Amino acid sequence: MTVLDWTIVGLYVALMLGIGYWVYRTKIKSFDDYYLAGRRLGLPVLIGTITSTYFGLDSVLGDSEMGFTLGASGLFAYPVVGTAMIIVLAFLGPSIKRRSAEMRTPAEIIGGVYGHPARLAAAIGSAVYSFPLLGFMAMGFIARVALGLPYWTGVVFGALIVVAYTLLGGMRADAITDAFQFGIIGVGVGAGALIMWGRIGNPQILEGLRSFVGGDPAAFLSPSGGWLTAGLFFTYAISAISVFCEPGLFQRIFAARSDRTVRSAFVIGALAYLLFGVCATFIGVLSAAAVGQGILPAEIHSDEVLIAASIRYLPVGLLGLFIAGILAAGMSTIDSQLVIAGANISYDAYKSVLRPQASDAQLIRVSRIGIVAIAVVSAALSFFFQRIMGAWVFISGALINSTLFPLYVALYGKGRVSRLAGNVAAVFGLTATIAYYLVLTLAGGLDPDWGTYILRFTLFGRPVALWQEYNVFVILPLVLILYWVIHAADPNKAVRAAARGGKA
Amino acid sequence: MNALRFWQLIVYFSAAVSVVGSVVYLVIYVRSLLRGQD
């Protein structure tokens, strides 16, 4: 990194803080202004913020990691599945917006139909999902790998910067910084892939890959990679269903100016997500060729290839811009999560249970206190958690199992509704996820080969291996069964007032 | 080599659209931001 690159990174951080202060001075008048940007987001900013929320740091680094380890077939692990999910949301999003006109959170939709217990369970699931633990860990990682600084500097300074502009500007500051990040990441991964391919050259790429895989690289360049089956692809798709109850995407749907804006933003966002994903995946593939050629070190870790390749290949200036974009990708995920977790505390818990008459000013104040508390706890935890995937499996399970089913029954179910069934299903989904995680961690063993907790036992004479990763496959069907059994047995079904702001 | 050429076409197309699209996007967005429309 040269002085010019460092200057660009510094200017970018200053721009984000400036945006937070500007929004704070001019735009924040009510809780809707703070949490939903006044429900006035137009198409350009919505495209940027939707894509940035979905194409966060985990996607940028994850895509290149998949390309590096799996080859071209890595495209099917994230980018293709993710694009398909966003396209489905392009069709669902407008109808979700119409059906929940005055709503602010998925937990509120659930609470409006079933009542407080279900709302609180969904709010806890959403807040757990929105703890920016992984984001802080990633900031420490970037500081170490890209900037050559100690891990703690990334966590502490990243937290201070992101908390500062989030406290000031709320969702609107988040959306504006997302839009800049979207543009910079697009230029960065696109230029990175073009420059890398051009500088290594086709014959050398093929030779490098041959040396990297230790034989014919045909499988490394094949779309199926010799390992991808329809069943595995389906499993990837199932594991990505958290997007359908992702509080960040719901927040953006509610914040959009109109339902037409939602559809257009999701369609364009899906295309951008796919294009960025192709570029990032192939930066990973090209990095494998560079390792085979001896240009990048053979001992490089798969999650470091994108940054190492950028430092090696991007010219002065563009490198600084790209590193700023990577930092912003991390920050834009963290700020979005902080705003949501703050609203889960202030709006879904404080206002709905403790103080229904709370004013907008009080809600914003409680949100800000919640944001600082969550940021401090997450930053502290980021020094202790070692297994990123273990944490991710737990938090996405908590969200999906508590929220997905009750939410979509509340939005799209027809006929009379059993409030008891909804409350039991949501509370069971949350508590069962926690119990599953605890039981597997305490009674199961950390498998050294797979790097995850597995509980092995015998059922009806057959050996069974329960993985930590299976929690959604085990618990979600139980939630579904529990809901329909109680729904069928409950004599006190209420007439649905649906999720349109009325009470069931 | 054929597979590599195929991916080269896909990657060059994706990368070119990403770079040009992102620059055009930033210009459009900053203009609408400065006009107070977003």
Side-chain angles (χ1 to χ4, degrees), chain A residues 287-349:
Chain A
S287 299
V291 169
Q293 287 272 310
I295 301 168
L296 290 177
E299 65 278 6
I300 192 168
H301 198 272
S302 59
D303 56 8
E304 294 176 0
V305 292
L306 182 92
I307 292 171
S310 311
I311 291 171
R312 176 71 180 74
Y313 287 102
L314 287 185
V316 174
L318 192 59
L319 174 63
L321 199 67
F322 187 63
I323 296 296
I326 295 262
L327 276 171
M331 288 189 195
S332 81
T333 308
I334 297 171
D335 59 21
S336 166
Q337 289 175 321
L338 285 175
V339 171
I340 287 161
N344 289 137
I345 291 170
S346 66
Y347 189 63
D348 290 317

Side-chain angles (χ1 to χ4, degrees), chain A residues 113-239:
Chain A
V113 172
Y114 308 111
H116 283 317
R119 178 172 184 174
L120 279 179
I124 292 170
S126 165
V128 167
Y129 184 83
S130 303
F131 257 63
L133 185 58
L134 306 182
F136 282 134
M137 291 164 80
M139 298 301 285
F141 171 80
I142 294 170
R144 186 171 58 76
V145 177
L147 305 177
L149 300 170
Y151 177 86
W152 70 267
T153 56
V155 175
V156 172
F157 289 108
L160 286 175
I161 294 163
V162 79
V163 167
Y165 76 75
T166 307
L167 281 183
L168 290 171
M171 200 252 173
R172 189 172 168 80
D174 174 13
I176 296 173
T177 52
D178 278 355
F180 283 103
Q181 179 230 321
F182 169 78
I184 290 170
I185 280 285
V187 172
V189 291
L194 280 175
I195 292 170
M196 243 182 124
W197 200 304
R199 285 188 56 184
I200 301 180
N202 277 6
Q204 288 80 6
I205 290 172
L206 217 53
E207 277 169 31
L209 290 179
R210 185 170 289 122
S211 156
F212 182 76
V213 300
D216 185 2
F220 206 73
L221 291 171
S222 128
S224 73
W227 60 272
L228 188 75
T229 60
L232 260 179
F233 185 65
F234 181 70
T235 310
Y236 279 134
I238 293 288
S239 64

Side-chain angles (χ1 to χ4, degrees), chain A residues 70 95 110 113 133 173 223 241 246 268 343 360 402 492 497:
Chain A
L70 301 175
S95 94
I110 290 173
V113 172
L133 185 58
I241 55 171
E246 233 272 356
I268 299 170
D360 275 16
S402 65
N492 301 315

